[in-house]
């Protein structure tokens, strides 16, 4: 009976430790992602200020430099920006002169 209790106790301890390590790694990865996002935003600010490149081109250049999660966020922003620009241009073209 004591052997079964010990096995169950060790199983609970091991699973709790594994769960804690997985949660800690998720937060550690989040910190790295936030640092990369800050770096991407600084690059974007610099490119907008000094090079006057179009925004979609800046999004493409920045998304090529960073990992998958940052790349996905930047490409999503690029898509939303292009959609908003096309919507505005359609509104302008549909107005009577």
């Amino acid at each position: 009976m004591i052997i079964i209790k010990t096995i169950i106790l060790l199983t609970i301890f091991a699973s709790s430790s594994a769960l804690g390590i997985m949660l800690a790694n998720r937060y550690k990865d989040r910190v790295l992602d936030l640092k990369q996002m800050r770096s991407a935003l600084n690059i974007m600010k610099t490119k907008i200020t000094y090079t006057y490149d179009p925004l979609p081109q800046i999004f493409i250049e920045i998304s090529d430099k960073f990992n998958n999660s940052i790349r996905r966020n930047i490409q999503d922003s690029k898509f939303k920006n292009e959609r908003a620009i096309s919507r505005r241009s359609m509104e302008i073209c549909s107005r009577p002169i």
Side-chain angles (χ1 to χ4, degrees):
M1 189 69 168
I2 294 177
I3 295 173
I4 295 173
K5 287 182 181 181
T6 305
I7 292 172
I8 291 173
L9 180 66
L10 289 175
T11 304
I12 291 171
F13 180 74
S15 62
S16 298
S17 297
L19 183 63
I21 290 170
M22 287 178 7
L23 288 173
N25 285 336
R26 188 176 71 178
Y27 286 116
K28 183 177 75 171
D29 293 342
R30 181 172 168 84
V31 169
L32 293 175
D33 287 344
L34 289 173
K35 286 180 181 179
Q36 286 185 352
M37 182 62 83
R38 181 189 301 167
S39 176
L41 291 174
N42 284 334
I43 291 171
M44 184 181 301
K45 178 182 175 184
T46 303
K47 285 193 173 286
I48 289 171
T49 304
Y50 296 111
T51 64
Y52 300 106
D53 288 340
L55 201 54
Q57 182 180 351
I58 294 172
F59 283 140
I60 291 170
E61 291 175 9
I62 291 174
S63 67
D64 291 340
K65 294 181 182 178
F66 292 98
N67 69 8
N68 291 336
S69 63
I70 302 299
R71 181 178 297 136
R72 187 177 57 242
N73 289 338
I74 291 173
Q75 287 175 346
D76 186 41
S77 298
K78 176 184 171 272
F79 175 72
K80 287 180 182 178
N81 183 33
E82 288 175 347
R83 197 171 63 198
I85 289 172
S86 66
R87 190 178 315 130
R88 286 186 203 127
S89 63
M90 290 297 291
E91 289 174 3
I92 291 171
C93 291
S94 64
R95 291 181 190 163
I97 298 178

